[in-house]
Amino acid sequence: MEQQEKFDFITQKVKDRPINRRKLMRKTMITASMAVIFGLIACLTFLTLQPIINNWLHPKEEIEQIEIPVAEDEVLPEEMLEHEQQILEPSQEVIDTIKNEIQLELQDYKELNQQIYAITREMQKAMVTVTGVSKQMDWFNDPYESSAASTGFIFAQNNAEILIFVPTHVIWGEEKIEVTFGDGKKVAAYLKGRDYNTELSVVAVAKDSLEESTTEEIQLLPLGSSKKEGILASPVIALGSPLGKSSVVYGMITSVGGKVSMVDTNYELLTTDIYGSTKAEGILADYEGRVIGIIYQKENDKNGENIISALGITELKEVLQRMGNGIPNTYIGTKVTEVPEEIHEVKGIPLGVYVTGITMDSPAMMAGIQSGDVIIQIDQTTITSLKDYKQVITESSPGEVKEMTIMRQGVEGYKALQVEITMGELQ
């Protein structure tokens, strides 16, 4: 005890070092920052490598491009006049047939209608119901789904998708798209392409989302020609909703000479003797079961607003092919017409594409193109027809810069001008 007391003077209590809050805060922030940086790097690495690893483990088949062939009985524009003259001069065989009295029995009419109905039934295998669905709120702020539906037509397929064209208003702006096939099976679809001019869209259904029984029943809608010989006065079938609801009506082509002017192009307008709805939608088909037009009522005047009219399918094939392949809708923004040879000779207007109007805020307006100009060349391509003009636009991409040669009339006649134009996307 005495010994312990002897050394008590060197006993001391060790105190803890006081906490440096600044250093602690700095270390905490550094650790947290490093954790965030590590997390970000890990996320970016995962996002970058995931598609590569997935494609390696589960390689996806590349989607093929579709190609819509030209109809075998297509008549070239330069041949159209010759064919029309031939049609106006009936053969002796036709004259003799008209002179002979042909008696048709009631059974003949029944058999004829049955044959027409058989054609219709076959084409209906390519028809589906396309529904656009969106979420809405009622008066009590309770959510509910609203939908709009229309007839769609299966016109093509690739290795992975079934392609369907449908009026744009049904699906545009909707949150989801559904397609109901003939067997009642309903599947999800997605937008593949939209055409501002015709107000048509193409939606796609993934083949792997369809049951085998549904796939076996699917048929493609044959696309014919609106420029075939003898189309005037030929019988047609209107399918879809020509009467404003699901319906089928028979009639004949009464006119093929109309033109519908749209942005950068013109479409042929077919008219019929079918009395339908001002809101009619669907297709016109010939008695061989091939589409010759897509119903389009917006050009009807007040005297014939209920007469079924259609845009010719020949010019629409390129539009459907472009949408089906997901190619952007490149445009310049002009209203145009061709300069006929006789007008060139009489009026002295240069051969090319004559500009009749300019779309507001379009690439054409930005480039300074004016009504009355004649477009004769784009880059190295000479423009002598509307077909040349449309082909250059179709083969271009939005954002491409083109050098355009135009002829503009002045006091001393037409003079050539060079302008640069940046292709836009029509949306």
Side-chain angles (χ1 to χ4, degrees):
M1 190 67 178
E2 292 179 359
Q3 187 72 16
Q4 182 178 353
E5 289 178 356
K6 185 177 181 180
F7 294 100
D8 278 346
F9 72 94
I10 62 172
T11 303
Q12 60 180 347
K13 184 178 180 181
V14 179
K15 294 184 179 180
D16 294 333
R17 180 181 295 180
I19 297 174
N20 190 322
R21 296 183 180 277
R22 285 188 177 181
K23 287 186 178 181
L24 179 62
M25 184 66 70
R26 188 182 302 114
K27 288 182 179 181
T28 304
M29 291 179 66
I30 291 173
T31 303
S33 299
M34 293 299 292
V36 170
I37 292 171
F38 177 80
L40 289 173
I41 294 173
C43 289
L44 289 173
T45 304
F46 175 77
L47 292 174
T48 304
L49 295 179
Q50 185 192 28
I52 299 173
I53 295 172
N54 282 343
N55 288 335
W56 180 58
L57 295 175
H58 309 285
K60 286 187 177 180
E61 191 175 5
E62 186 176 349
I63 296 178
E64 298 172 349
Q65 299 282 287
I66 64 168
E67 185 173 351
I68 300 177
V70 176
E72 293 180 358
D73 54 0
E74 195 83 30
V75 179
L76 297 175
E78 55 268 23
E79 299 173 341
M80 187 65 77
L81 181 59
E82 179 184 347
H83 283 285
E84 288 177 353
Q85 290 173 344
Q86 292 174 357
I87 294 168
L88 292 174
E89 299 174 1
S91 65
Q92 188 61 43
E93 182 182 355
V94 173
I95 295 173
D96 292 340
T97 303
I98 294 172
K99 286 182 178 179
N100 295 330
E101 293 185 3
I102 301 175
Q103 297 293 331
L104 294 178
E105 302 294 334
L106 180 60
Q107 184 62 30
D108 296 324
Y109 286 105
K110 287 182 178 179
E111 291 178 0
L112 177 61
N113 284 328
Q114 287 173 355
Q115 291 178 16
I116 298 173
Y117 180 68
I119 296 169
T120 303
R121 289 290 297 167
E122 195 66 20
M123 295 191 73
Q124 286 176 333
K125 293 179 181 179
M127 294 169 56
V128 296
T129 300
V130 180
T131 306
V133 182
S134 63
K135 292 182 179 179
Q136 305 287 342
M137 302 293 289
D138 63 16
W139 290 98
F140 304 100
N141 287 328
D142 294 325
Y144 71 96
E145 288 188 340
S146 67
S147 62
S150 184
T151 303
F153 298 87
I154 305 171
F155 73 98
Q157 64 176 330
N158 53 42
N159 58 321
E161 301 167 321
I162 302 295
L163 301 173
I164 303 159
F165 69 80
V166 67
T168 296
H169 71 85
V170 177
I171 52 94
W172 190 248
E174 304 296 336
E175 295 179 11
K176 63 180 180 178
I177 305 169
E178 296 175 338
V179 172
T180 306
F181 289 87
D183 60 358
K185 299 293 172 54
K186 184 180 294 187
V187 296
Y190 48 91
L191 181 66
K192 188 77 174 182
R194 176 195 179 198
D195 185 65
Y196 175 88
N197 272 332
T198 60
E199 298 182 11
L200 288 173
S201 290
V202 169
V203 298
V205 172
K207 285 184 176 180
D208 58 14
S209 68
L210 298 173
E211 296 180 7
E212 185 177 352
S213 58
T214 303
T215 305
E216 290 174 352
E217 293 295 321
I218 290 175
Q219 287 198 16
L220 303 184
L221 196 66
L223 302 182
S225 168
S226 54
K227 294 186 179 297
K228 62 182 180 179
E229 182 179 359
I231 189 172
L232 185 63
S234 63
V236 290
I237 307 168
L239 291 85
S241 54
L243 302 180
K245 57 183 179 180
S246 182
S247 49
V248 178
V249 192
Y250 308 125
M252 74 172 189
I253 298 293
T254 57
S255 172
V256 296
K259 294 291 181 183
V260 181
S261 179
M262 296 186 183
V263 178
D264 295 331
T265 190
N266 293 328
Y267 290 104
E268 184 177 35
L269 186 69
L270 310 177
T271 58
T272 72
D273 62 352
I274 300 173
Y275 189 89
S277 168
T278 56
K279 297 181 180 179
E281 295 174 345
I283 60 171
L284 288 183
D286 58 22
Y287 276 18
E288 296 179 27
R290 302 179 304 174
V291 179
I292 61 172
I294 297 180
I295 294 175
Y296 188 83
Q297 298 291 84
K298 293 193 173 183
E299 287 296 310
N300 290 355
D301 57 30
K302 291 184 178 180
N303 294 326
E305 60 183 359
N306 288 92
I307 298 300
I308 298 298
S309 302
L311 299 177
I313 195 64
T314 295
E315 291 90 353
L316 289 175
K317 286 180 181 179
E318 180 275 323
V319 177
L320 294 175
Q321 180 173 298
R322 172 176 49 75
M323 289 193 291
N325 289 326
I327 298 173
N329 193 358
T330 307
Y331 89 119
I332 289 176
T334 56
K335 293 291 185 71
V336 292
T337 187
E338 291 182 8
V339 179
E341 185 71 36
E342 56 270 24
I343 297 297
H344 165 67
E345 294 177 355
V346 175
K347 299 288 187 180
I349 300 176
L351 289 175
V353 173
Y354 186 87
V355 179
T356 61
I358 301 295
T359 305
M360 289 294 294
D361 299 325
S362 64
M365 174 175 281
M366 301 303 176
I369 298 173
Q370 302 174 6
S371 296
D373 289 344
V374 182
I375 300 169
I376 64 170
Q377 186 170 326
I378 300 178
D379 281 348
Q380 303 304 315
T381 303
T382 301
I383 307 298
T384 59
S385 66
L386 191 55
K387 181 180 179 181
D388 297 334
Y389 188 60
K390 290 198 295 183
Q391 185 172 351
V392 171
I393 296 173
T394 301
E395 293 176 352
S396 303
S397 301
E400 272 191 66
V401 178
K402 300 282 185 180
E403 186 173 288
M404 181 181 290
T405 304
I406 62 174
M407 300 297 289
R408 180 169 296 172
Q409 190 173 26
V411 178
E412 299 178 357
Y414 282 90
K415 289 188 176 182
L417 296 175
Q418 304 290 330
V419 298
E420 277 194 352
I421 187 164
T422 303
M423 297 298 210
E425 182 175 356
L426 190 60
Q427 297 178 331

